[in-house]
Amino acid sequence: MSPISRRTALTTALTAAGVATAAPAQAAPEQPPSGTAVGRLHELRAGRHRVVVAGVAATLLSWQVDGEEVLLTHGPDDPGEGYRGKTILPWPNRIDRGRYSFGGRTWQVPITEPSRDTALHGLMNFVEWEPVHHRRDRVVLRYALPPHYGYPFPMLFEAEYAVDDDGVRATVTARNTGRTPAPYGTANHTYVAAATERIDDVVLELPARTYYRTDDRLIPVGTAPVAGTGYDFRTARRIGATAMDTAFTDLDRERDGEAVVRMRRPGGVDVELRVDRAHGYLQVYTDDSPEGERPARQGITVEPMTCAPNAFVTGDGLVALRPGERHRARWRYRALG
């Protein structure tokens, strides 16, 4: 299916699903479950931008600029493979063998990636968040995570999405509602679509000086400078045949503290991802092994992460939230031109 056909199909599916439009009041009205695989849908608009946020996993499901779908996405009746658009909590990426130590005890969380014997992308990929505010250009979703086996730490999460004349921005806030410190990390797993059939011609600029070397299960075994390797995108260049499922750190930042990733998409809207200082890590995946029959390399995800892969084991970037403490992380997409 061509990119134009995919955009048309998605728009039709969203319309049929009855996307929730904003009420004029700040508080969100009571809404019955939508019956879709991604939960209730919340539409946001500003200027050239139309965004759809799905309740399940506080997902950024769609971002259209002047009618062009920028994201590699899926219809609301499809749960979507590859974690597309999901807010990842309370840990991003992998925990080696699902086992970690914290607070003087060793914990075991479920193995969700059996082929690599890892616990992948947290606990909240298929839970629906509740809307607490919804206006034309802003929605706030909330989810209270009860204690789990292996993660006995109650948490309260809020995800805010807002649109303006530049694009879409997101803020994720976590609060430890328990009585003991809690380990914590978050990421977002949105894919930017190739404007053509593959991402090879996308020009990527990635402000990272260091990448993580991994074993065959994608568990980090060390770091290395990007200089002189195929992972050096500090100067913008075509992705070409480069394949990555790779974490990066040591991010160069602008004066305001944001690190900026640029993706120039021949035939489509160019995109800029900006992440705040809470995000010290980026995971880049070039969509080389999609599940099912979908062709490879139709999109690229540059995941803002607050900690490194396997941080629950290594402590690399891990946040330890004290009882009652909050952690806030912000990222945003801008349309260029």
Side-chain angles (χ1 to χ4, degrees), residues 76-333:
D77 292 324
D78 178 357
E81 48 76 41
Y83 300 89
R84 282 178 280 173
K86 292 180 184 291
T87 301
I88 307 296
L89 294 161
W91 69 85
N93 210 282
R94 294 167 174 84
I95 300 177
D96 187 12
R97 307 190 194 284
R99 189 178 301 116
Y100 68 99
S101 296
F102 187 82
R105 294 187 61 180
T106 298
W107 306 99
Q108 177 72 54
V109 293
I111 298 298
T112 54
E113 191 183 34
S115 64
R116 294 191 173 106
D117 194 19
T118 70
L120 180 63
H121 289 329
L123 300 170
M124 296 176 53
N125 293 296
F126 299 100
V127 300
E128 182 158 9
W129 299 46
E130 290 296 319
V132 293
H133 300 289
H134 187 195
R135 292 187 290 196
R136 186 177 191 273
D137 60 353
R138 174 177 176 265
V139 67
V140 179
L141 306 177
R142 181 179 295 162
Y143 188 84
L145 179 70
H148 280 240
Y149 293 136
Y151 189 83
F153 310 105
M155 302 284 283
L156 181 65
F157 299 113
E158 283 193 349
E160 176 185 337
Y161 288 96
V163 289
D164 57 23
D165 289 340
D166 285 336
V168 56
R169 62 184 186 272
T171 303
V172 175
T173 304
R175 180 164 66 91
N176 180 353
T177 57
R179 298 180 178 178
T180 62
Y184 169 70
T186 186
N188 177 268
H189 214 290
T190 297
Y191 290 64
V192 172
T196 55
E197 292 298 328
R198 292 171 64 87
I199 62 169
D200 300 45
D201 288 331
V202 171
V203 175
L204 175 65
E205 182 180 344
L206 186 76
R209 287 175 275 125
T210 300
Y211 77 97
Y212 282 82
R213 297 182 294 108
T214 63
D215 62 17
D216 59 1
R217 296 188 299 120
L218 296 180
I219 300 299
V221 295
T223 60
V226 299
T229 75
Y231 300 135
D232 190 351
F233 286 89
R234 289 174 295 174
T235 299
R237 62 184 176 87
R238 286 179 67 252
I239 293 173
T242 303
M244 289 179 279
D245 197 344
T246 307
F248 295 84
T249 192
D250 293 334
L251 307 180
D252 294 325
R253 296 182 183 271
E254 298 189 339
R255 287 186 177 182
D256 61 4
E258 290 184 323
V260 183
V261 180
R262 295 183 177 91
M263 290 167 271
R264 302 201 176 275
R265 304 162 60 242
V269 174
D270 296 334
V271 173
E272 193 174 73
L273 169 65
R274 290 178 166 262
V275 304
D276 70 359
R277 289 192 182 277
H279 295 101
Y281 309 82
L282 299 170
Q283 179 83 18
V284 180
Y285 175 52
T286 46
D287 191 34
D288 296 283
S289 302
E291 298 174 7
E293 298 180 356
R294 183 173 64 81
R297 298 177 70 86
Q298 290 189 328
I300 179 172
T301 177
V302 181
E303 305 164 42
M305 299 194 302
T306 61
C307 59
N310 205 31
F312 271 45
V313 174
T314 66
D316 188 355
L318 186 68
V319 174
L321 278 177
R322 297 186 298 271
E325 187 178 9
R326 286 178 170 84
H327 180 274
R328 182 171 288 113
R330 297 183 175 93
W331 56 267
R332 57 188 174 125
Y333 281 119

